[in-house]
Short mmCIF file of all heavy atoms in Angstrom, two decimals:
data_model
loop_
_atom_site.label_atom_id
_atom_site.label_comp_id
_atom_site.label_asym_id
_atom_site.label_seq_id
_atom_site.Cartn_x
_atom_site.Cartn_y
_atom_site.Cartn_z
N LEU A 335 28.04 -70.00 -57.36
CA LEU A 335 28.16 -70.93 -56.21
C LEU A 335 26.76 -71.22 -55.67
O LEU A 335 26.56 -71.41 -54.48
CB LEU A 335 29.05 -70.32 -55.12
CG LEU A 335 30.53 -70.12 -55.48
CD1 LEU A 335 31.30 -69.53 -54.29
CD2 LEU A 335 31.19 -71.41 -55.92
N LYS A 336 25.79 -71.20 -56.55
CA LYS A 336 24.38 -71.38 -56.15
C LYS A 336 23.71 -72.49 -56.95
O LYS A 336 22.71 -72.25 -57.62
CB LYS A 336 23.59 -70.07 -56.38
CG LYS A 336 24.28 -68.79 -55.99
CD LYS A 336 24.41 -68.63 -54.49
CE LYS A 336 25.17 -67.37 -54.14
NZ LYS A 336 24.54 -66.14 -54.58
N PRO A 337 24.23 -73.69 -56.93
CA PRO A 337 23.50 -74.75 -57.63
C PRO A 337 22.12 -74.90 -57.00
O PRO A 337 21.99 -74.73 -55.78
CB PRO A 337 24.35 -76.00 -57.37
CG PRO A 337 25.13 -75.69 -56.12
CD PRO A 337 25.34 -74.21 -56.14
N ALA A 338 21.11 -75.17 -57.80
CA ALA A 338 19.76 -75.31 -57.25
C ALA A 338 19.79 -76.37 -56.16
O ALA A 338 20.30 -77.47 -56.35
CB ALA A 338 18.79 -75.70 -58.35
N GLY A 339 19.32 -76.00 -54.98
CA GLY A 339 19.31 -76.94 -53.86
C GLY A 339 20.61 -76.98 -53.08
O GLY A 339 20.73 -77.71 -52.10
N GLY A 340 21.59 -76.17 -53.49
CA GLY A 340 22.89 -76.18 -52.80
C GLY A 340 22.98 -75.11 -51.72
O GLY A 340 22.03 -74.36 -51.48
N ILE A 341 24.14 -75.04 -51.06
CA ILE A 341 24.35 -74.05 -50.00
C ILE A 341 25.03 -72.82 -50.61
O ILE A 341 26.15 -72.90 -51.08
CB ILE A 341 25.24 -74.64 -48.89
CG1 ILE A 341 24.55 -75.87 -48.27
CG2 ILE A 341 25.54 -73.58 -47.83
CD1 ILE A 341 25.37 -76.56 -47.20
N PRO A 342 24.33 -71.67 -50.61
CA PRO A 342 24.90 -70.48 -51.26
C PRO A 342 26.28 -70.12 -50.70
O PRO A 342 26.45 -70.01 -49.49
CB PRO A 342 23.89 -69.38 -50.92
CG PRO A 342 22.60 -70.10 -50.67
CD PRO A 342 23.00 -71.41 -50.06
N GLY A 343 27.23 -69.95 -51.61
CA GLY A 343 28.55 -69.48 -51.20
C GLY A 343 29.52 -70.57 -50.78
O GLY A 343 30.70 -70.29 -50.59
N ASP A 344 29.05 -71.79 -50.64
CA ASP A 344 29.98 -72.86 -50.26
C ASP A 344 30.73 -73.38 -51.48
O ASP A 344 30.17 -73.49 -52.57
CB ASP A 344 29.21 -74.05 -49.65
CG ASP A 344 29.07 -73.93 -48.13
OD1 ASP A 344 29.29 -72.81 -47.62
OD2 ASP A 344 28.75 -74.94 -47.48
N ALA A 345 32.01 -73.69 -51.27
CA ALA A 345 32.78 -74.34 -52.33
C ALA A 345 33.65 -75.41 -51.68
O ALA A 345 34.20 -75.21 -50.60
CB ALA A 345 33.65 -73.33 -53.07
N THR A 346 33.76 -76.54 -52.33
CA THR A 346 34.63 -77.60 -51.82
C THR A 346 36.06 -77.32 -52.23
O THR A 346 36.32 -76.53 -53.16
CB THR A 346 34.23 -78.97 -52.38
OG1 THR A 346 34.47 -78.95 -53.80
CG2 THR A 346 32.77 -79.29 -52.10
N SER A 347 36.99 -77.98 -51.57
CA SER A 347 38.39 -77.78 -51.93
C SER A 347 38.64 -78.23 -53.37
O SER A 347 39.45 -77.64 -54.08
CB SER A 347 39.30 -78.55 -50.96
OG SER A 347 38.97 -79.91 -50.96
N ILE A 348 37.92 -79.24 -53.81
CA ILE A 348 38.09 -79.70 -55.20
C ILE A 348 37.65 -78.60 -56.17
O ILE A 348 38.33 -78.30 -57.15
CB ILE A 348 37.26 -80.99 -55.42
CG1 ILE A 348 37.86 -82.13 -54.58
CG2 ILE A 348 37.21 -81.38 -56.89
CD1 ILE A 348 37.00 -83.37 -54.49
N GLN A 349 36.52 -77.96 -55.84
CA GLN A 349 36.05 -76.87 -56.70
C GLN A 349 37.00 -75.68 -56.66
O GLN A 349 37.29 -75.06 -57.68
CB GLN A 349 34.64 -76.44 -56.25
CG GLN A 349 33.58 -77.49 -56.56
CD GLN A 349 32.22 -77.11 -56.01
OE1 GLN A 349 32.10 -76.59 -54.91
NE2 GLN A 349 31.18 -77.38 -56.79
N MET A 350 37.52 -75.40 -55.46
CA MET A 350 38.45 -74.25 -55.36
C MET A 350 39.70 -74.49 -56.20
O MET A 350 40.17 -73.60 -56.90
CB MET A 350 38.84 -74.02 -53.90
CG MET A 350 37.72 -73.45 -53.04
SD MET A 350 38.37 -72.96 -51.40
CE MET A 350 37.36 -73.92 -50.33
N ARG A 351 40.22 -75.71 -56.12
CA ARG A 351 41.42 -76.01 -56.91
C ARG A 351 41.12 -75.97 -58.40
O ARG A 351 41.91 -75.46 -59.20
CB ARG A 351 41.97 -77.39 -56.55
CG ARG A 351 42.92 -77.32 -55.40
CD ARG A 351 43.70 -78.60 -55.17
NE ARG A 351 44.04 -78.60 -53.77
CZ ARG A 351 43.33 -79.23 -52.84
NH1 ARG A 351 42.30 -79.98 -53.17
NH2 ARG A 351 43.67 -79.11 -51.57
N ALA A 352 39.95 -76.50 -58.76
CA ALA A 352 39.59 -76.52 -60.18
C ALA A 352 39.51 -75.10 -60.72
O ALA A 352 40.05 -74.79 -61.79
CB ALA A 352 38.27 -77.25 -60.37
N ILE A 353 38.86 -74.23 -59.96
CA ILE A 353 38.69 -72.87 -60.49
C ILE A 353 40.01 -72.11 -60.48
O ILE A 353 40.28 -71.28 -61.35
CB ILE A 353 37.55 -72.12 -59.78
CG1 ILE A 353 37.23 -70.86 -60.57
CG2 ILE A 353 37.86 -71.78 -58.36
CD1 ILE A 353 35.85 -70.41 -60.46
N ALA A 354 40.86 -72.44 -59.52
CA ALA A 354 42.20 -71.84 -59.51
C ALA A 354 42.96 -72.25 -60.78
O ALA A 354 43.62 -71.42 -61.42
CB ALA A 354 42.97 -72.27 -58.27
N ASP A 355 42.83 -73.51 -61.16
CA ASP A 355 43.50 -73.98 -62.38
C ASP A 355 42.92 -73.31 -63.62
O ASP A 355 43.65 -72.90 -64.53
CB ASP A 355 43.33 -75.51 -62.52
CG ASP A 355 44.18 -76.26 -61.51
OD1 ASP A 355 45.09 -75.63 -60.91
OD2 ASP A 355 43.94 -77.47 -61.31
N ILE A 356 41.60 -73.22 -63.65
CA ILE A 356 40.96 -72.58 -64.81
C ILE A 356 41.44 -71.13 -64.93
O ILE A 356 41.77 -70.65 -66.01
CB ILE A 356 39.42 -72.62 -64.69
CG1 ILE A 356 38.93 -74.08 -64.70
CG2 ILE A 356 38.76 -71.83 -65.80
CD1 ILE A 356 37.44 -74.25 -64.36
N ALA A 357 41.50 -70.44 -63.77
CA ALA A 357 41.94 -69.04 -63.79
C ALA A 357 43.39 -68.95 -64.29
O ALA A 357 43.74 -68.04 -65.04
CB ALA A 357 41.82 -68.43 -62.40
#
Side-chain angles (χ1 to χ4, degrees):
Chain A
L335 294 181
K336 318 289 177 62
I341 300 177
D344 269 16
T346 65
S347 57
I348 293 169
Q349 290 175 319
M350 289 190 237
R351 273 191 206 96
I353 192 151
D355 288 345
I356 296 171

